[in-house]
Amino acid sequence: MANLGDEVKNKQVIFRDFVSGFPQESDFIFSSSSIRLKLPEGSNGVLLKTLYLSCDPFMRMLMESRPAAISYSPGSLLFGFGVARVLESAHSNFKEGDLLWGMLKWEEYSVVEEPEKLFKIQHTDVPLSYYTGILGMPGITAYFGFHDICSPKKGEYVFVSAASGAVGQLVGQLAKLMGCYVVGSAGSREKIELLKNKFGFDEVFNYKEERDLNAALKRCFPEGIDIYFENVGGKTLDAVLLNMRPHGRISVCGMISQYNLGQSEGVHNLLRLVTERIRMEGFGAPDYFHRYAEFLEAMLPYIREGKITYVEDTVHGLESGPAALIGLFSGRNVGKQVVAISSE
């Protein structure tokens, strides 16, 4: 085990260049540099050892050159959400040994000069990897996207696309806890079994086996849909719009089916928003970061009491990260995709 002040190898993942279409492993460079485990003179930051990194669909959008928006820079380190331990701190908010989560670079050791946006982990009676998922960005997305934007009521009909993913599995369980009727879609038999037998969805279907999504939704929702939690976009959204009940709500946190297309698919049934008085709202987890304490107060008891379960798909070692990340876009992962870097 390395000590403070030692010079060590630092494995890293570098973003090669902007991506068109589906990302490939060749779009990333696995590299190694050396780092002295000591904060630079005059630093007001923290020196971190990375423990877990999160693979999330939003990272695909950062792989394109987008004017006036955050993107990865060709030749620079990949970054995303993760969990780390503080090795040394010159910042008043953190001390050596603290655990934290937030936006981290894809490397084994990092110096973060402005750590104010990182969240200190106070509750360690749950797996630390949960702070990449159920207690991190995906959990915040699911909780506030469902409760705040959808305003659910007991007995309402809820549809969740990409239902076995990091966000969808939580939305379905939150909806069941509210007393809703919940249907989920996913893309493999293994995922379908997970939704039905582990997460307690009332009904499920494999969208890859359905020739007509509109017919599949009418079969599952003969009286229509009150709430749709949107993770997919495209043809799924179009079919859902035809099946929404009056005054339905659609919470939009992502559209993974569109991220790798050169030209996004059109949506043809938007007039239903007008005729059925449907409210459709997009959002991002950072909109709710200031309410993190409120989120923990609600979610931690669900975990501790076994009312919500969470499935992770974990690969080990930074070198496994790029393949795990691009696997999101072919549905290779089952549950929340996590990269375990160190168990220390």
Side-chain angles (χ1 to χ4, degrees), residues 4-312:
L4 207 60
D6 289 352
E7 187 161 310
V8 298
K9 284 188 176 181
N10 189 24
K11 295 177 183 177
Q12 301 172 314
V13 175
I14 295 169
F15 178 62
R16 187 185 295 275
D17 204 351
F18 294 124
V19 173
S20 177
F22 279 83
Q24 310 291 326
E25 285 190 63
S26 57
D27 293 317
F28 309 95
I29 303 167
F30 183 70
S31 181
S32 183
S33 64
S34 61
I35 182 173
R36 184 167 177 255
L37 298 182
K38 189 72 179 170
L39 284 171
E41 190 77 27
S43 172
N44 190 40
V46 290
L47 172 65
L48 304 177
K49 180 176 179 61
T50 306
L51 304 181
Y52 296 96
L53 291 170
S54 178
C55 297
D56 295 298
F58 81 87
M59 297 170 72
R60 173 60 184 86
M61 293 187 287
L62 305 186
M63 298 178 195
E64 299 177 356
S65 178
R66 303 184 302 154
I70 297 174
S71 297
Y72 295 130
S73 299
S76 68
L77 286 168
L78 207 64
F79 58 84
F81 288 99
V83 175
R85 184 186 303 278
V86 178
L87 299 181
E88 186 183 15
S89 176
H91 195 282
S92 58
N93 289 357
F94 301 97
K95 65 181 185 301
E96 179 185 342
D98 280 350
L99 295 162
L100 49 81
W101 75 270
M103 196 64 74
L104 305 177
K105 295 176 181 177
W106 275 43
E107 57 183 352
E108 291 183 301
Y109 299 94
S110 292
V111 173
V112 178
E113 289 293 354
E114 297 179 350
E116 294 84 1
K117 292 185 179 180
L118 299 174
F119 293 87
K120 191 183 295 186
I121 294 173
Q122 308 282 9
H123 306 278
T124 56
D125 59 323
V126 295
L128 286 179
S129 58
Y130 276 16
Y131 290 91
T132 69
I134 186 172
L135 294 177
M137 181 275 290
I140 294 168
T141 301
Y143 183 82
F144 289 109
F146 182 62
H147 284 292
D148 270 40
I149 292 179
C150 295
S151 303
K153 303 177 189 68
K154 183 178 180 180
E156 288 194 309
Y157 299 98
V158 178
F159 177 53
V160 185
S161 56
S164 69
V167 174
Q169 59 175 290
L170 294 175
V171 174
Q173 292 178 85
L174 289 169
K176 288 301 298 177
L177 287 169
M178 281 289 301
C180 298
Y181 177 83
V182 186
V183 176
S185 65
S188 75
R189 291 185 181 180
E190 181 183 5
K191 293 177 181 179
I192 291 299
E193 288 299 313
L194 197 65
L195 295 177
K196 192 81 172 176
N197 299 325
K198 195 171 186 71
F199 300 140
F201 282 63
D202 294 290
E203 191 57 72
V204 294
F205 65 86
N206 184 339
Y207 68 90
K208 293 179 181 177
E209 296 177 353
E210 298 289 345
R211 297 182 63 180
D212 185 339
L213 289 175
N214 180 30
L217 290 170
K218 288 190 186 308
R219 182 180 74 237
C220 295
F221 294 102
E223 297 183 48
I225 300 167
D226 292 298
I227 291 172
Y228 172 44
F229 202 97
E230 167 68 301
N231 291 302
V232 172
K235 294 179 177 64
T236 300
L237 174 58
D238 236 0
V240 167
L241 285 167
L242 292 175
N243 289 276
M244 292 295 294
R245 301 179 79 183
H247 303 286
R249 288 85 71 203
I250 301 175
S251 179
V252 185
C253 80
M255 294 189 174
I256 195 170
S257 73
Q258 306 300 295
Y259 296 161
N260 298 302
L261 302 180
Q263 181 68 43
S264 296
E265 295 175 318
V267 178
H268 304 283
N269 297 315
L270 288 174
L271 185 59
R272 292 275 298 178
L273 298 178
V274 179
T275 61
E276 303 306 313
R277 310 305 193 258
I278 298 164
R279 181 164 57 83
M280 181 172 173
E281 183 175 346
F283 73 102
D287 301 346
Y288 295 96
F289 280 175
H290 66 288
R291 293 172 63 183
Y292 187 60
E294 173 190 342
F295 162 76
L296 285 180
E297 190 175 339
M299 193 63 78
L300 279 168
Y302 288 150
I303 298 171
R304 290 167 177 157
E305 295 166 18
K307 292 182 177 178
I308 283 185
T309 187
Y310 200 61
V311 171
E312 297 175 320

Side-chain angles (χ1 to χ4, degrees), residues 311-333:
V311 171
E312 297 175 320
D313 190 332
T314 304
V315 300
H316 296 271
L318 190 60
E319 60 274 16
S320 303
L325 176 58
I326 64 176
L328 294 177
F329 306 105
S330 60
R332 190 188 309 162
N333 59 300

